[in-house]
Amino acid sequence: MAIRYSVMELASQSSLETMPKPHRFPRPAALLLFLLAGCDRPTVPTARDGIQNAQRTVPDGNGGSTNFQLAMLLQAVNNEGFTPKNHPTDTVVVERNGDALRLVATVVEHVYLPSPGIGARPYARRTVLAWNWAEKRGLVLMSEDPHSDIALPTRQYTDRWEMGSLFEHRGFVLQSEPNGKEAWFGRDGQLEIKNGTTTGPCPFSSKIAGYEAGLRKGELPPDMTCETVRYPVSASTTLERGDPNNRSPLEDLIGHHPSLRLDEQMISGVRFVTKCPTTFRGEVPVGCNVMNFWRDNTQFAPQLGVDLVRMHSRQDYLYWQEVASGSGRLYTAVPMMMAGPVQFTLYGADGRVLLERTARSVENDSTLRQVIMIASLPLRVGYHGRIVAPARRFGLAADPYAMSVLDFVLLPSAPPRP
């Protein structure tokens, strides 16, 4: 893949209101290829899911990148030079504020498979692209679940480290009016891009399938497959204009909110399936992020008390929940003291006890200091915490996509001997 622009490099240079000068970016066809397959890093050849990568990283906490990335997605359905070629399509009817719009539509789905037998579930990203050249209108639907609640694409639901983005199962609707000069976002309602039915083999020849998936080589690698699929798709929402991260307080009261409805219709598309690696050499496909495979409380044994939405995160795959805050001074207060003693149990996601003991302190225990100290928790006597993290973070020789749960309590220090 010859393109040397990363999604975030492109995102940092413009906003929806102030589009970049044409000479600063690749040709439209190249940008479309980038969006459809997109590189995780500027020079990584194995990037596979640009639209889905954009879905994950579009609004990443930077207003400019939010608007520009969404604008690029809308360009894919509002400018003929950006629209996917050779993809199977169907004509659908969308109702916008009572007016019927006929759009040509296709679906791009990327599925990522973790190791079997460890409780992790496959992860899928589905994007519907629909367009009408005569009326210069476009529609983009995005979801990581067969059924999702539509929300504005704010940081809360799109920053990869936010709990809402990871675990609240939200979907997004982007819609453009003539010439792409007006961008609208779904703000409520329901989106369904249900599990599709395979209708045929990969629609691309073996010589170009890899290029269509965004790879440097034309042939797909052994860990990736492609097939033609038809998906039942429906959506119902009201729309809103403007930057989702900088809404006016009056928007709900006096804003214009046209309705958009897509009754269930079948849309053809392409599904790419990637088997995630268990040994790592270089970059890992973006969809193989371990937390993508652990997005539902039901994947954890009930007795573990895991509530993913209530957890907090750091940007290193540590997720913690405070069960009890404890009392007294913080161990980090001056003069600083060792945090302990601490009683803890390490569980597998299925509830099996993997390790159980009482340690003199967090700092001196090899299992605890790898996670508790990094998380910078407000430790004090009686603090009861719960940490969800990949099993390897606890020093276990486990599958890279296996998950563990650490439950721990800070105990009162033993009184000094007489």
Side-chain angles (χ1 to χ4, degrees), residues 319-385:
Y319 302 85
W320 73 88
Q321 177 182 344
E322 183 179 283
V323 181
S325 60
S327 61
R329 70 188 299 274
L330 292 171
Y331 286 105
T332 54
V334 178
M336 295 179 62
M337 298 188 302
M338 302 286 275
V342 55
Q343 184 180 49
F344 70 93
T345 306
L346 183 63
Y347 299 92
D350 58 2
R352 291 177 297 116
V353 176
L354 305 177
L355 183 63
E356 187 173 25
R357 66 169 175 255
T358 299
R360 293 179 58 188
S361 70
V362 170
E363 293 85 348
N364 289 331
D365 188 275
S366 59
T367 299
L368 298 180
R369 67 170 176 261
Q370 294 297 322
V371 289
I372 295 180
M373 299 306 296
I374 293 175
S376 301
L377 303 179
L379 301 180
R380 51 168 57 91
V381 173
Y383 184 94
H384 181 188

Side-chain angles (χ1 to χ4, degrees), residues 92-99 101 103 105 107 126-130 138-143 145-151 170-175 185-194 231-239 258-267:
V92 298
V93 178
V94 178
E95 182 181 290
R96 188 185 190 278
N97 232 27
D99 296 330
L101 308 176
L103 306 172
V107 180
R126 297 167 182 165
T127 301
V128 177
L129 301 174
L139 177 67
V140 179
L141 310 175
M142 299 180 288
S143 182
D145 302 277
H147 177 92
S148 55
D149 295 323
I150 296 171
R170 299 291 181 168
F172 306 108
V173 175
L174 321 177
Q175 195 261 326
F185 307 100
R187 64 187 197 133
D188 53 22
Q190 307 293 315
L191 170 62
E192 288 189 335
I193 309 177
K194 296 180 180 178
Y231 302 84
V233 179
S234 64
S236 178
T237 187
T238 57
L239 302 171
S259 62
L260 185 141
R261 183 179 183 86
L262 170 65
D263 291 327
E264 185 171 297
Q265 296 170 61
M266 300 298 295
I267 303 179

Side-chain angles (χ1 to χ4, degrees), residues 115-267:
S115 305
I118 58 173
R121 294 177 183 172
Y123 171 66
R125 296 177 181 172
R126 297 167 182 165
T127 301
V128 177
L129 301 174
W131 58 90
N132 182 316
W133 300 138
E135 299 190 26
K136 295 296 183 182
R137 285 172 164 169
L139 177 67
V140 179
L141 310 175
M142 299 180 288
S143 182
E144 298 172 334
D145 302 277
H147 177 92
S148 55
D149 295 323
I150 296 171
L152 289 170
T154 60
R155 301 181 188 91
Q156 177 184 357
Y157 299 125
T158 53
D159 186 320
R160 65 181 302 184
W161 301 110
E162 291 287 344
M163 297 298 96
S165 172
L166 284 165
F167 306 126
E168 289 196 23
H169 306 277
R170 299 291 181 168
F172 306 108
V173 175
L174 321 177
Q175 195 261 326
S176 65
E177 284 297 281
N179 299 316
K181 295 181 179 179
E182 293 182 3
W184 298 78
F185 307 100
R187 64 187 197 133
D188 53 22
Q190 307 293 315
L191 170 62
E192 288 189 335
I193 309 177
K194 296 180 180 178
N195 297 329
T197 301
T198 302
T199 58
C202 186
F204 317 116
S205 73
S206 60
K207 294 182 179 180
I208 68 168
Y211 297 133
E212 293 291 342
L215 308 182
R216 177 171 291 180
K217 296 182 179 180
E219 295 183 358
L220 294 177
D223 65 350
M224 192 174 187
T225 61
C226 164
E227 58 189 356
T228 302
V229 181
R230 295 197 82 201
Y231 302 84
V233 179
S234 64
S236 178
T237 187
T238 57
L239 302 171
E240 179 176 311
R241 281 185 294 186
D243 184 348
N245 288 309
N246 293 284
R247 300 179 69 231
S248 165
L250 299 178
E251 178 64 38
D252 290 330
L253 296 175
I254 62 175
H256 178 48
H257 303 126
S259 62
L260 185 141
R261 183 179 183 86
L262 170 65
D263 291 327
E264 185 171 297
Q265 296 170 61
M266 300 298 295
I267 303 179

